[in-house]
Amino acid sequence: MNEWTKGAGILLISVFISSVSQILLKKAANVHFDRRIQEYLNVRVIAAYGLFFLSTVLTMLALRYVPLSLSPVLESAGYFFVAVMGYFFLHEKLTRRKLLGLCLIFLGIFVFTR
């Protein structure tokens, strides 16, 4: 495995972790708390920000191997991760328009990485 592939894999894992944290924050936003401080100091929110931190560290490690110009292209995979997790965990609909958008994102990633 060459360094570029290793870095791209780390970056995609980082994007996935970031997507998981976004879903956690959205789930936490749908919960009603008695006190305002509980909105910020609960397990889901703290875990989500911990995952964001881990994602940031992994992204910095990945950028040692991946060209900076490729980073935004691979990070756009997060749209796919969030849409799929939103479908399964938040019961959001995947409309034709969303599916078309996701296909265009993957087409762009494929074209740019070739």
Side-chain angles (χ1 to χ4, degrees):
M1 179 184 304
N2 63 21
E3 288 186 355
W4 185 92
T5 306
K6 179 179 170 181
I10 293 171
L11 187 59
L12 286 173
I13 290 169
S14 169
V15 170
F16 179 78
I17 290 171
S18 176
S19 300
V20 169
S21 66
Q22 289 177 44
I23 296 297
L24 279 175
L25 284 174
K26 194 163 185 180
K27 291 281 277 187
N30 291 331
V31 176
H32 175 72
F33 294 97
D34 295 329
R35 296 184 321 174
R36 187 127 173 113
I37 191 73
Q38 290 175 318
E39 292 178 11
Y40 303 100
L41 297 178
N42 65 69
V43 175
R44 285 185 180 148
V45 170
I46 292 170
Y49 283 115
L51 288 174
F52 271 134
F53 178 76
L54 176 62
S55 173
T56 301
V57 171
L58 289 174
T59 298
M60 289 188 304
L61 290 173
L63 289 176
R64 296 174 71 191
Y65 307 107
V66 175
L68 189 56
S69 61
L70 185 61
S71 174
V73 175
L74 293 176
E75 286 186 11
S76 65
Y79 293 110
F80 172 76
F81 295 142
V82 170
V84 170
M85 285 188 281
Y87 175 78
F88 287 109
F89 300 115
L90 303 174
H91 308 291
E92 295 178 345
K93 293 183 180 182
L94 281 177
T95 63
R96 287 184 190 177
R97 192 174 190 161
K98 284 183 185 178
L99 291 173
L100 178 61
L102 292 174
C103 288
L104 288 173
I105 289 170
F106 271 119
L107 180 63
I109 292 171
F110 179 77
V111 168
F112 192 83
T113 55
R114 294 290 156 204

